[in-house]
Protein backbone atom coordinates (compact mmCIF):
# COMPACT_ATOMS: atom_id res chain seq x y z
CA UNK A 1 0.00 0.00 0.00
CA UNK A 2 1.33 3.38 -0.91
CA UNK A 3 2.24 5.68 1.98
CA UNK A 4 -0.23 8.51 2.50
CA UNK A 5 0.89 11.84 1.01
CA UNK A 6 1.74 14.59 3.49
CA UNK A 7 0.08 17.90 2.76
CA UNK A 8 2.01 21.12 3.69
CA UNK A 9 0.11 24.34 4.16
CA UNK A 10 1.40 27.13 1.89
CA UNK A 11 0.91 29.58 4.80
CA UNK A 12 3.44 27.66 6.91
CA UNK A 13 6.15 28.05 4.28
CA UNK A 14 5.34 31.76 4.01
CA UNK A 15 5.60 32.28 7.76
CA UNK A 16 8.99 30.57 7.87
CA UNK A 17 10.24 32.74 5.02
CA UNK A 18 9.06 35.97 6.70
CA UNK A 19 10.64 35.02 10.06
CA UNK A 20 13.91 34.16 8.36
CA UNK A 21 13.95 37.42 6.44
CA UNK A 22 13.27 39.42 9.59
CA UNK A 23 16.04 37.67 11.50
CA UNK A 24 18.49 38.39 8.70
CA UNK A 25 17.47 42.05 8.55
CA UNK A 26 17.87 42.47 12.31
CA UNK A 27 21.31 40.88 12.23
CA UNK A 28 22.43 43.07 9.34
CA UNK A 29 21.11 46.20 11.05
CA UNK A 30 22.99 45.36 14.25
CA UNK A 31 26.19 44.86 12.32
CA UNK A 32 25.75 48.10 10.40
CA UNK A 33 24.91 50.35 13.33
CA UNK A 34 26.94 48.75 16.07
CA UNK A 35 26.43 49.70 19.69
CA UNK A 36 24.31 52.78 20.21
CA UNK A 37 26.50 55.64 21.49
CA UNK A 38 25.95 56.86 25.02
CA UNK A 39 25.11 60.45 25.95
CA UNK A 40 28.59 60.88 27.39
CA UNK A 41 30.21 59.73 24.17
CA UNK A 42 28.34 62.46 22.29
CA UNK A 43 29.88 65.22 24.39
CA UNK A 44 32.62 67.30 22.75
CA UNK A 45 36.10 66.41 23.93
CA UNK A 46 37.99 69.11 25.81
CA UNK A 47 40.88 68.91 23.40
CA UNK A 48 43.52 71.59 22.86
CA UNK A 49 43.54 73.53 19.59
CA UNK A 50 47.29 73.61 19.09
CA UNK A 51 47.42 77.39 19.48
CA UNK A 52 49.31 78.18 22.68
CA UNK A 53 47.54 81.47 23.47
CA UNK A 54 44.08 79.97 22.87
CA UNK A 55 44.82 76.79 24.81
CA UNK A 56 46.07 78.75 27.84
CA UNK A 57 42.65 80.45 28.14
CA UNK A 58 40.79 77.22 27.33
CA UNK A 59 42.63 75.40 30.09
CA UNK A 60 41.14 77.87 32.56
CA UNK A 61 37.61 77.84 31.13
CA UNK A 62 37.56 74.03 31.00
CA UNK A 63 38.60 73.79 34.67
CA UNK A 64 35.98 76.22 35.98
CA UNK A 65 33.54 73.52 37.06
CA UNK A 66 35.46 72.54 40.20
CA UNK A 67 35.75 75.91 41.97
CA UNK A 68 33.40 77.70 44.36
CA UNK A 69 32.64 81.34 43.60
CA UNK A 70 30.17 84.17 43.21
CA UNK A 71 30.65 86.25 40.06
CA UNK A 72 28.78 89.38 38.95
CA UNK A 73 28.64 90.52 35.33
CA UNK A 74 27.60 93.47 33.21
CA UNK A 75 26.39 92.47 29.75
CA UNK A 76 25.78 94.50 26.62
CA UNK A 77 23.77 92.85 23.86
CA UNK A 78 24.90 94.92 20.92
CA UNK A 79 21.85 94.22 18.78
CA UNK A 80 19.33 96.62 20.29
CA UNK A 81 21.78 98.03 22.85
CA UNK A 82 20.32 95.93 25.69
CA UNK A 83 22.14 96.24 29.04
CA UNK A 84 21.79 93.35 31.48
CA UNK A 85 23.25 92.08 34.73
CA UNK A 86 24.05 88.51 35.73
CA UNK A 87 25.24 86.66 38.81
CA UNK A 88 26.75 83.18 38.76
CA UNK A 89 27.18 81.12 41.93
CA UNK A 90 28.84 77.73 42.17
CA UNK A 91 28.77 75.93 45.52
CA UNK A 92 29.85 72.52 46.79
CA UNK A 93 31.52 71.92 43.41
CA UNK A 94 28.15 70.87 42.01
CA UNK A 95 25.31 73.30 42.81
CA UNK A 96 24.96 76.22 40.41
CA UNK A 97 22.76 79.27 40.26
CA UNK A 98 22.84 81.59 37.25
CA UNK A 99 20.70 84.73 37.36
CA UNK A 100 20.30 86.87 34.25
CA UNK A 101 18.12 89.91 34.95
CA UNK A 102 14.99 88.38 36.52
CA UNK A 103 15.52 84.80 35.25
CA UNK A 104 17.31 82.28 37.47
CA UNK A 105 18.64 78.89 36.40
CA UNK A 106 19.15 76.35 39.21
CA UNK A 107 21.05 73.13 38.67
CA UNK A 108 22.54 70.45 40.89
CA UNK A 109 20.06 71.32 43.63
CA UNK A 110 18.04 68.12 43.32
CA UNK A 111 15.82 69.34 40.51
CA UNK A 112 16.84 71.59 37.63
CA UNK A 113 14.66 74.66 37.30
CA UNK A 114 14.26 77.92 35.42
CA UNK A 115 12.53 80.55 37.54
CA UNK A 116 11.11 84.02 36.97
CA UNK A 117 12.05 85.97 40.10
CA UNK A 118 9.35 88.57 39.45
CA UNK A 119 6.42 86.16 39.23
CA UNK A 120 7.96 83.37 41.38
CA UNK A 121 7.03 80.88 38.65
CA UNK A 122 9.40 78.00 37.86
CA UNK A 123 9.57 75.30 35.23
CA UNK A 124 11.38 72.04 35.96
CA UNK A 125 13.92 72.33 33.16
CA UNK A 126 16.86 74.53 32.14
CA UNK A 127 15.27 76.73 29.48
CA UNK A 128 17.75 79.04 27.75
CA UNK A 129 14.93 80.50 25.65
CA UNK A 130 13.97 82.59 28.69
CA UNK A 131 17.07 84.77 28.12
CA UNK A 132 17.10 84.65 24.31
CA UNK A 133 16.71 88.44 24.22
CA UNK A 134 20.11 88.75 25.90
CA UNK A 135 21.61 86.21 23.46
CA UNK A 136 23.10 84.15 26.28
CA UNK A 137 22.95 80.58 27.48
CA UNK A 138 22.88 79.67 31.17
CA UNK A 139 26.52 78.50 31.08
CA UNK A 140 27.93 81.67 29.48
CA UNK A 141 30.40 82.10 32.36
CA UNK A 142 32.54 79.14 31.22
CA UNK A 143 31.42 76.10 29.20
CA UNK A 144 29.66 77.95 26.38
CA UNK A 145 32.54 80.42 26.05
CA UNK A 146 34.99 77.53 25.82
CA UNK A 147 32.90 76.11 22.96
CA UNK A 148 32.85 79.50 21.23
CA UNK A 149 36.60 79.92 21.60
CA UNK A 150 37.28 76.51 20.09
CA UNK A 151 35.09 77.37 17.09
CA UNK A 152 36.72 80.78 16.64
CA UNK A 153 40.19 79.25 16.94
CA UNK A 154 39.34 77.06 13.96
CA UNK A 155 38.06 80.09 12.01
CA UNK A 156 40.94 82.45 12.76
CA UNK A 157 42.38 84.36 9.83
CA UNK A 158 45.59 85.49 11.52
CA UNK A 159 47.84 85.03 14.52
CA UNK A 160 46.32 85.11 17.99
CA UNK A 161 47.70 87.30 20.77
CA UNK A 162 47.87 86.32 24.43
CA UNK A 163 48.22 88.79 27.31
CA UNK A 164 47.09 89.57 30.86
CA UNK A 165 44.71 92.18 32.25
CA UNK A 166 43.24 93.06 35.63
CA UNK A 167 39.49 92.59 35.77
CA UNK A 168 37.44 93.08 38.95
CA UNK A 169 40.74 93.32 40.89
CA UNK A 170 41.78 89.86 39.68
CA UNK A 171 44.43 88.78 37.20
CA UNK A 172 42.91 87.47 33.97
CA UNK A 173 44.52 85.74 31.01
CA UNK A 174 43.27 86.86 27.59
CA UNK A 175 43.55 85.94 23.95
CA UNK A 176 42.64 88.01 20.90
CA UNK A 177 41.40 85.86 18.01
CA UNK A 178 41.18 87.54 14.58
CA UNK A 179 38.21 86.22 12.62
CA UNK A 180 36.30 87.42 9.60
CA UNK A 181 34.52 90.62 10.64
CA UNK A 182 36.86 91.57 13.47
CA UNK A 183 38.80 90.36 16.51
CA UNK A 184 37.18 88.51 19.40
CA UNK A 185 38.52 88.77 22.93
CA UNK A 186 38.29 86.00 25.53
CA UNK A 187 39.60 86.39 29.10
CA UNK A 188 39.44 84.00 32.08
CA UNK A 189 40.42 84.15 35.74
CA UNK A 190 42.68 81.59 37.36
CA UNK A 191 39.62 79.81 38.84
CA UNK A 192 38.20 79.30 35.34
CA UNK A 193 35.54 82.03 35.49
CA UNK A 194 34.97 84.15 32.40
CA UNK A 195 36.44 87.62 32.99
CA UNK A 196 35.69 89.29 29.65
CA UNK A 197 34.23 88.53 26.25
CA UNK A 198 34.19 91.10 23.46
CA UNK A 199 32.59 90.10 20.18
CA UNK A 200 30.32 91.45 17.48
CA UNK A 201 27.26 90.19 19.36
CA UNK A 202 28.07 90.72 23.03
CA UNK A 203 30.32 92.50 25.45
CA UNK A 204 30.55 90.74 28.82
CA UNK A 205 32.73 91.87 31.69
CA UNK A 206 33.19 90.65 35.23
CA UNK A 207 32.35 93.41 37.73
CA UNK A 208 32.89 91.55 40.99
CA UNK A 209 33.98 88.12 42.20
CA UNK A 210 34.24 86.30 45.52
CA UNK A 211 35.51 82.86 46.49
CA UNK A 212 32.48 82.49 48.76
CA UNK A 213 29.25 81.18 47.18
CA UNK A 214 26.23 83.39 47.88
CA UNK A 215 23.61 80.96 49.20
CA UNK A 216 20.83 83.55 48.83
CA UNK A 217 21.08 83.09 45.05
CA UNK A 218 19.64 79.58 45.32
CA UNK A 219 16.18 80.86 46.22
CA UNK A 220 13.57 80.44 43.50
CA UNK A 221 11.95 83.83 44.08
Amino acid sequence: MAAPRQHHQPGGRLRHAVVGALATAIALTACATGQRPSFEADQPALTPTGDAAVDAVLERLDAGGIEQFTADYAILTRLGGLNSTATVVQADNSRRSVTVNDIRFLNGTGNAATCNLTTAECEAVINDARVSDVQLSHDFYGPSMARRLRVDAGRRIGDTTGYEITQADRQALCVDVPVSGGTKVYCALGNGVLARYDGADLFIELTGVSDVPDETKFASS
Side-chain angles (χ1 to χ4, degrees):
M1 180 181 297
R5 296 180 62 185
Q6 295 182 354
H7 297 278
H8 298 282
Q9 296 296 326
R13 288 195 298 271
L14 180 60
R15 282 193 298 272
H16 285 303
V18 171
V19 171
L22 286 174
T24 301
I26 292 170
L28 289 173
T29 301
C31 292
T33 61
Q35 194 173 28
R36 189 174 183 179
S38 65
F39 175 78
E40 290 78 7
D42 292 338
Q43 299 306 299
L46 304 181
T47 54
T49 66
D51 183 290
V54 170
D55 290 339
V57 176
L58 279 176
E59 184 177 7
R60 292 187 173 196
L61 292 174
D62 288 341
I66 63 174
E67 300 289 343
Q68 297 189 25
F69 61 84
T70 299
D72 296 316
Y73 291 92
I75 302 163
L76 169 64
T77 304
R78 289 201 157 99
L79 181 61
L82 176 64
N83 288 290
S84 303
T85 59
T87 300
V88 181
V89 181
Q90 184 164 282
D92 302 334
N93 298 338
S94 59
R95 294 185 298 125
R96 297 180 186 87
S97 166
V98 179
T99 308
V100 180
N101 295 329
D102 62 348
I103 301 299
R104 177 166 292 168
F105 303 95
L106 299 171
N107 207 352
T109 55
N111 295 301
T114 301
C115 301
N116 186 314
L117 300 180
T118 301
T119 63
E121 296 176 340
C122 295
E123 53 184 317
V125 67
I126 299 297
N127 184 3
D128 282 329
R130 301 292 292 274
V131 292
S132 60
D133 58 328
V134 188
Q135 298 183 16
L136 284 182
S137 60
H138 70 283
D139 56 356
F140 75 91
Y141 60 91
S144 71
M145 282 300 159
R147 292 191 293 270
R148 282 186 181 221
L149 179 50
R150 282 187 165 88
V151 171
D152 285 334
R155 297 170 50 235
R156 66 186 183 274
I157 58 175
D159 294 335
T160 62
T161 303
Y163 55 96
E164 293 184 358
I165 65 170
T166 299
Q167 186 72 39
D169 296 325
R170 297 284 185 98
Q171 180 273 338
L173 189 62
C174 301
V175 61
D176 290 353
V177 184
V179 295
S180 178
T183 297
K184 293 190 177 183
V185 179
Y186 295 84
C187 303
L189 298 186
N191 64 357
V193 175
L194 178 72
R196 181 180 293 180
Y197 168 76
D198 192 358
D201 54 344
L202 294 164
F203 177 70
I204 304 171
E205 64 175 345
L206 185 71
T207 58
V209 63
S210 168
D211 297 327
V212 179
D214 183 351
E215 290 291 340
T216 66
K217 302 301 182 182
F218 288 93
S220 58
S221 62

